[in-house]
Amino acid sequence: MSIQYGESAGSYGVVESFPKDFDYGVEEPDIEESSALSDTKPRILLMGLRRSGKSSIQKVVFHKMSPNETLFLESTNKIYKDDISSSSFVNFQIWDFPGQIDFFDPTFDYEMIFRGTGALIFVIDAQDDYVEALGRLHLTVSRAYRVNPEINFEVFIHKVDGLSDDHKIETQRDIHQRANDDLADASLEKLHLSFYLTSIYDHSIFEAFSKVVQKLIPQLPTLENLLNIFISHSGIEKAFLFDVVSKIYIATDSSPVDMQSYELCCDMIDVVIDVSCIYGLMEDGSGSAYDKESLAIIKLNNTTVLYLKEVTRFLALVCILREESFERKGLIEYNFHCFRKAIHEVFEVGSSTQRVGMKPPDLPSSSLASLKYASLNGSAV
């Protein structure tokens, strides 16, 4: 479906607007079966104390639950496995651990869990006393590091929507200092923790999860290079490669990411899917809200243009550019065709080599050789 919009004065901010059936699938309880343990997909563990917000994060990011609906979620009382498989790039498992579980009990095989883990996310409730949480964080990451030093350790300082800006900064600084001091006292200076301020009521949780997932994608350097080449040839200011279901971006170009640009692109995906569900389906409800014909152009009232185009069934390229650059629309579309072809070449390689840590493929030169430059006078060279 092709959609073009005129002027737009602001951001929609509809985090929960996707249709409920536009989803990855159903999560599976009880990971203790042997079949689940033999999976080779990258694994992300969600850990933290009770009521810290782990299940809410998972539901909002990957199952499009409204943030307000999470208020009615029951406390998790057993481990849940959630398969996230939309493409060869976004293809992993999330294991949600109950806060009260003692997985260091001798009867619990924590070595098996950590051995197959790509990232461990520890969620800390910023609105609560986090002394106990810091103690559990230290115990968890130190044990996990000894089993598997290749794990990426991520700390979500969560529920910061209820804090002032100054309080957010102070809380992050305090947690960062205490956590690293504990590691230094245990002679674990090589263990690196990454910290993020997050909330399910804005886009910060999607931004944080984007950073986590990118570390699990062996093709990331290749994707970033492709985006850099594409925008430099097309006069584009910023480009994101989005997973349209979760609205996490699996890659972007090398220019810095500012939150406002990211939010604009997220909101554009929401609008496109919403409008497609209303006007893009057949009268009998058949068809897809997102397919190979999906295209949207939104011109804002500040001479900025947002451009969205389908790359694969679950991936979209979302770009930000100036209105004068968009006058070379034919050049941009030609370069996008070359970019899309190159992505599919990487995608095919990724489908056959999904294990974390494998050597990423080289840039697909056959497709990139066709890209044309946008010169100053608007002609292609």
Side-chain angles (χ1 to χ4, degrees):
M1 180 181 181
S2 175
I3 309 173
Q4 294 198 20
Y5 298 89
E7 286 191 351
S8 174
S11 171
Y12 284 84
V14 281
V15 173
E16 70 278 9
S17 67
F18 271 28
K20 293 295 183 184
D21 57 350
F22 197 73
D23 205 347
Y24 292 110
V26 182
E27 55 187 340
E28 303 171 24
D30 261 339
I31 62 167
E32 297 174 1
E33 294 91 354
S34 59
S35 61
L37 304 181
S38 62
D39 284 334
T40 58
K41 294 179 182 178
R43 185 184 304 154
I44 298 177
L45 306 185
L46 267 176
M47 295 182 169
L49 300 184
R50 288 172 59 95
R51 312 306 300 177
S52 58
K54 304 181 297 297
S55 298
S56 299
I57 290 173
Q58 179 194 3
K59 295 290 188 182
V60 168
V61 174
F62 296 105
H63 294 281
K64 302 181 305 300
M65 180 177 283
S66 163
N68 291 325
E69 288 182 72
T70 63
L71 298 173
F72 306 101
L73 284 177
E74 295 183 2
S75 183
T76 305
N77 54 19
K78 58 182 176 181
I79 304 170
Y80 274 86
K81 180 189 77 173
D82 196 4
D83 263 327
I84 308 300
S85 303
S86 66
S87 71
S88 64
F89 303 132
V90 182
N91 194 10
F92 53 87
Q93 298 175 337
I94 294 181
W95 289 14
D96 183 6
F97 282 76
Q100 72 275 14
I101 193 171
D102 182 11
F103 52 89
F104 295 124
D105 187 279
T107 61
F108 206 88
D109 191 359
Y110 68 87
E111 289 196 9
M112 174 278 301
I113 294 174
F114 292 140
R115 199 177 299 120
T117 294
L120 190 159
I121 299 174
F122 196 92
V123 183
I124 296 178
D125 186 348
Q127 298 187 29
D128 199 3
D129 183 5
Y130 45 77
V131 174
E132 182 183 356
L134 285 169
R136 178 67 72 90
L137 168 66
H138 177 74
L139 177 64
T140 302
V141 299
S142 58
R143 292 276 188 93
Y145 181 78
R146 291 186 176 96
V147 174
N148 180 6
E150 301 301 317
I151 294 176
N152 296 306
F153 294 101
E154 322 285 350
V155 181
F156 285 6
I157 304 171
H158 196 48
K159 302 182 183 180
V160 296
D161 48 276
L163 308 180
S164 66
D165 289 343
D166 290 342
H167 197 179
K168 288 179 188 177
I169 296 171
E170 182 59 36
T171 300
Q172 183 177 21
R173 184 186 297 117
D174 188 39
I175 290 176
H176 183 280
Q177 185 67 46
R178 292 193 191 193
N180 284 307
D181 285 349
D182 289 342
L183 293 177
D185 292 343
S187 301
L188 291 172
E189 292 89 349
K190 292 183 178 180
L191 196 163
H192 176 71
L193 299 175
S194 298
F195 297 86
Y196 309 85
L197 293 171
T198 61
S199 168
I200 59 174
Y201 291 96
D202 57 33
H203 291 87
S204 60
I205 191 62
F206 298 94
E207 163 80 3
F209 241 106
S210 298
K211 298 294 187 184
V212 173
V213 170
Q214 286 169 25
K215 295 178 183 179
L216 303 180
I217 300 175
Q219 301 93 344
L220 181 63
T222 303
L223 298 177
E224 290 178 344
N225 284 336
L226 288 173
L227 287 165
N228 283 333
I229 294 169
F230 172 71
I231 67 170
S232 66
H233 285 57
S234 307
I236 290 172
E237 295 187 354
K238 188 66 184 171
F240 296 91
L241 192 59
F242 270 95
D243 173 59
V244 293
V245 178
S246 64
K247 291 181 294 185
I248 61 177
Y249 65 94
I250 65 169
T252 185
D253 59 86
S254 57
S255 63
V257 177
D258 70 272
M259 202 62 181
Q260 186 178 13
S261 297
Y262 174 66
E263 289 175 358
L264 271 175
C265 294
C266 283
D267 291 344
M268 185 180 191
I269 294 174
D270 283 331
V271 172
V272 169
I273 298 299
D274 283 346
V275 174
S276 295
C277 286
I278 298 171
Y279 300 107
L281 303 181
M282 302 295 182
E283 290 185 2
D284 60 358
S286 62
S288 174
Y290 184 78
D291 56 30
K292 62 182 180 180
E293 301 297 328
S294 293
L295 164 68
I297 300 163
I298 300 179
K299 295 183 179 180
L300 307 182
N301 58 8
N302 60 355
T303 72
T304 298
V305 175
L306 304 179
Y307 178 80
L308 178 148
K309 200 165 175 62
E310 185 262 2
V311 177
T312 72
R313 183 188 171 203
F314 284 101
L315 295 180
L317 179 72
V318 186
C319 304
I320 300 175
L321 64 159
R322 309 309 301 175
E323 199 167 349
E324 56 267 24
S325 298
F326 195 69
E327 293 175 0
R328 300 184 289 267
K329 183 180 176 183
L331 175 67
I332 293 173
E333 291 186 350
Y334 174 83
N335 284 342
F336 172 81
H337 173 75
C338 300
F339 169 81
R340 187 176 186 273
K341 186 177 178 182
I343 287 289
H344 277 265
E345 291 179 29
V346 178
F347 187 90
E348 289 169 5
V349 174
S351 297
S352 59
T353 58
Q354 291 180 354
R355 294 197 302 274
V356 177
M358 295 198 69
K359 182 181 181 297
D362 295 326
L363 284 172
S365 57
S366 60
S367 299
L368 293 180
S370 303
L371 283 167
K372 296 183 178 180
Y373 280 102
S375 64
L376 292 176
N377 62 9
S379 60
V381 295

